[in-house]
């Protein structure tokens, strides 16, 4: 029996034939990123228990196999799949989505999320406790995992919560001697050896007395103060922030995380969405400063959409909007799954056009009437810049009084959304992220490459809205701008003119951001799209000294021992 066959035989003995994938057809959706990057894997393992993950890891480490762990594979920078074919060892992908247990502890004030558990399921589980997870927008809708969010320091669109963070986790790592270790930092007494610990956690076989009241953090307790520091010359949040790099948090796949322990948050009693429009970026700059400096209550969120992105989302993200609105967010992961399968099948059949699923969904969406409220559409015609601000409880009156006063002598305006308009506005902003991909799929033959920038600007930056030098601006065909204005994180998406080298253009743009004191990426992690800065590279090397897990992340070495 050759090396590959012996490895596959051993893996099947752990998880069963059905859950060890070896054919190209079955592996494809796990080997290709949701939006970016792809590569080859010898096999994809879909273990059903934490102990199965441990057993698979033991085999892979012993046989000198690269391991890439993924959950929902919804990342935007390709960080949970292989990338290219220049690795020095074979790769096994471990997909954790069958291990989706969520355990509620401390009367709902904390949870334990196992390797494949999702934010969407957590949101549902916490409803009876009138609590919320860290993220309740965007990531919940596409089925993103709890552990993935922590490993990538994701999130932060909720102004008072910051990036996903914990110091309480259960994980495996390979030490400097090349030995696999299980590290229990959950601060729950689960046993003495890996088999006991993993089985007891999987079955929730522990008592309240086994849960240690830890002084370690299970969320970022500083962010609500940091985001208010409006005169600071550094960004509020970004992936290479040393403050938020702690074992599982920010690990980006350099250790194998079995579970995390996280805080939850009380649901607000009241919520109110304010829709704000202006033609002057300085108006939004002033509003941001005033709210963060003077309001007693921080906004729940504040998401920006430029008119160009508004229009693109109205046309090219209409189908996603309708699906979520009519069928609920729980159907969206299923839709993406179907879309992937359709694209895989159609790519094998020559008579189908490229991006067949996108073309079909776009065609069908044309038959649906306009889905956006009249007041939003009126603001679209009047104003270039749109800001969706959600306030809660006492902050609602604060905001109402402030906006009435602010727009007395300004040409911009605002309105208080009713429940129908508020849901529509929030959903329109969320689906805007998919517009650039659809636009490019339908118009790609006449344009160049896609380039997406995830930039965190300093908190004191006044020129938050991008003004590109003419020599760069002329290379770009279309721009889509959206972001999180209170924390100064901007998602700047471009479709380049045909023939323009995206890597060279990115280099020029990043130099401009460096000169302005910006950090990048802000929340999507480095993946294989960005170069990891020295702080991140050193952190990765400390976690994974032999470079066995997810090598090449942040465009670092893909070779054993970091050669």
């Amino acid at each position: 029996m050759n090396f590959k066959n012996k490895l596959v035989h051993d893996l099947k003995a752990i998880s069963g034939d059905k859950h060890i994938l070896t054919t190209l057809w079955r592996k494809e959706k796990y080997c290709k990123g949701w939006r970016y990057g792809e590569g080859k894997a010898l096999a994809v393992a879909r273990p059903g228990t934490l102990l199965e993950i441990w057993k698979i890891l033991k085999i892979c480490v012993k046989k000198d196999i690269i391991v890439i762990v993924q959950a929902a594979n919804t990342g935007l920078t390709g960080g949970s799949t292989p990338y290219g074919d220049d690795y020095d060892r074979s790769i096994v992908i471990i997909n954790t989505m069958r291990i989706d247990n969520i355990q509620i502890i401390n009367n709902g004030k904390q949870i334990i999320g196992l390797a494949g558990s999702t934010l969407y399921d957590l949101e549902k589980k916490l409803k009876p406790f009138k609590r919320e997870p860290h993220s309740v927008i965007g990531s919940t809708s596409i089925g993103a995992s709890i552990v993935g969010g922590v490993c990538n320091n994701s999130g932060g669109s909720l102004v008072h919560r910051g990036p996903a963070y914990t110091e309480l986790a259960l994980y495996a790592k390979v030490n400097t001697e090349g030995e696999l270790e299980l590290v229990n930092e959950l601060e729950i007494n689960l046993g003495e050896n890996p088999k006991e610990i993993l089985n007891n956690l999987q079955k929730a076989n522990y008592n309240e007395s086994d849960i240690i009241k830890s002084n370690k953090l299970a969320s970022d307790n500083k962010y609500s103060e940091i985001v208010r520091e409006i005169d600071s010359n550094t960004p509020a949040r970004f992936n290479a922030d040393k403050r938020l790099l702690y074992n599982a948090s920010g690990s980006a796949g350099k250790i194998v995380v079995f579970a995390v322990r996280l805080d939850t948050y009380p649901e607000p009693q009241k919520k109110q969405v304010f829709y704000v429009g202006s033609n002057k970026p300085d108006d939004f700059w002033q509003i941001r400063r005033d709210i963060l400096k003077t309001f007693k209550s921080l906004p729940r969120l504040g998401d920006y959409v430029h008119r160009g992105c508004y229009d693109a989302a109205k046309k090219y993200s209409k189908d996603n909007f309708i699906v979520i609105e009519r069928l609920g967010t729980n159907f969206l992961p299923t839709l993406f799954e179907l879309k992937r399968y359709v694209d895989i099948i159609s790519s094998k059949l020559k008579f189908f056009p490229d991006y067949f699923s996108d073309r079909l969904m776009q065609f069908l969406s044309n038959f649906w009437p306009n889905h956006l409220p009249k007041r939003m559409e009126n603001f679209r015609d009047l104003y270039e810049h749109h800001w969706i601000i959600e306030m809660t409880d006492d902050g609602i009156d604060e905001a109402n009084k402030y906006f009435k006063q602010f727009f007395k002598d300004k040409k911009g305006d605002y309105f208080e959304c009713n429940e129908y308009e508020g849901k529509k506005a929030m959903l329109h902003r969320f689906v805007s992220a998919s517009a650039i991909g659809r636009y490019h799929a339908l118009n790609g033959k006449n344009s160049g490459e896609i380039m997406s920038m995830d930039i965190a600007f300093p908190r004191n930056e006044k020129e938050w809205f991008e003004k590109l030098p003419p020599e760069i601006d002329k290379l770009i065909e279309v721009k889509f701008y959206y972001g999180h204005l209170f924390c100064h994180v901007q998602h700047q998406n471009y479709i380049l003119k045909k023939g323009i080298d995206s890597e060279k253009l990115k280099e020029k743009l990043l130099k401009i951001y460096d000169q302005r004191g910006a950090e990048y990426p802000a929340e999507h992690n480095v993946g294989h799209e960005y170069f990891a800065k020295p702080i991140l590279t050193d952190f990765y090397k400390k976690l994974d000294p032999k470079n066995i897990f997810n090598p090449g992340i942040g465009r670092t070495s893909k070779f054993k021992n970091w050669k």
Side-chain angles (χ1 to χ4, degrees), residues 71-72 74 97 116-120 138-145 329 332-333 336:
T74 57
M97 291 303 286
S117 57
T118 66
L119 286 162
Y120 176 74
S139 296
T140 55
S141 301
I142 58 174
S145 72
T329 54
L332 201 56
F336 286 134

Side-chain angles (χ1 to χ4, degrees), residues 24-159:
L24 288 175
W25 171 260
R26 296 184 71 202
K27 290 187 295 183
E28 188 163 350
K29 75 168 189 171
Y30 302 96
C31 293
K32 186 173 184 177
W34 189 57
R35 191 172 80 177
Y36 181 87
E38 60 184 298
K40 295 178 181 177
L42 191 150
V44 175
R46 299 180 65 249
T49 67
L50 299 176
L51 187 57
E52 284 182 25
I53 296 180
W54 176 255
K55 289 177 178 178
I56 291 168
L57 290 177
K58 286 178 74 175
I59 289 173
C60 290
V61 170
K62 184 177 180 180
K63 294 183 181 292
D64 204 19
I65 301 286
I66 286 171
V67 175
I68 298 175
V69 179
Q70 67 177 211
N73 190 17
T74 57
L76 299 179
T77 57
S80 55
T81 64
Y83 184 78
D85 58 2
D86 53 345
Y87 294 87
D88 62 341
R89 293 152 287 168
S90 298
I91 298 171
V92 167
I93 295 172
I94 299 177
N95 182 280
T96 63
M97 291 303 286
R98 291 178 63 215
I99 310 169
D100 58 359
N101 311 44
I102 297 171
Q103 298 164 13
I104 309 292
I105 61 172
N106 297 336
N107 297 315
K109 292 179 180 178
Q110 288 190 325
I111 62 99
I112 308 292
L114 270 56
S117 57
T118 66
L119 286 162
Y120 176 74
D121 284 342
L122 178 56
E123 197 172 14
K124 287 193 297 182
K125 280 213 164 192
L126 289 174
K127 280 288 180 190
F129 296 90
K130 295 188 176 180
R131 308 282 295 184
E132 293 180 338
H134 167 268
S135 298
V136 295
I137 303 162
S139 296
T140 55
S141 301
I142 58 174
S145 72
I146 296 168
V147 168
V150 170
C151 292
N152 294 315
N153 285 141
S154 299
S157 62
L158 297 186
V159 180

Side-chain angles (χ1 to χ4, degrees), residues 403-420:
F403 287 130
K404 279 179 183 174
Q405 184 65 36
F406 183 85
F407 286 113
K408 265 185 179 179
D409 57 351
K410 298 285 194 304
K411 291 184 178 179
D413 204 354
Y414 82 103
F415 64 87
E416 288 183 76
C417 296
N418 58 37
E419 187 177 354
Y420 168 82

Side-chain angles (χ1 to χ4, degrees), residues 238-254:
F238 54 97
N239 281 127
D241 186 350
K242 193 173 182 179
R243 183 180 71 87
L244 298 175
L245 300 176
Y246 187 95
N247 294 335
S249 296
S251 58
K254 299 305 290 180

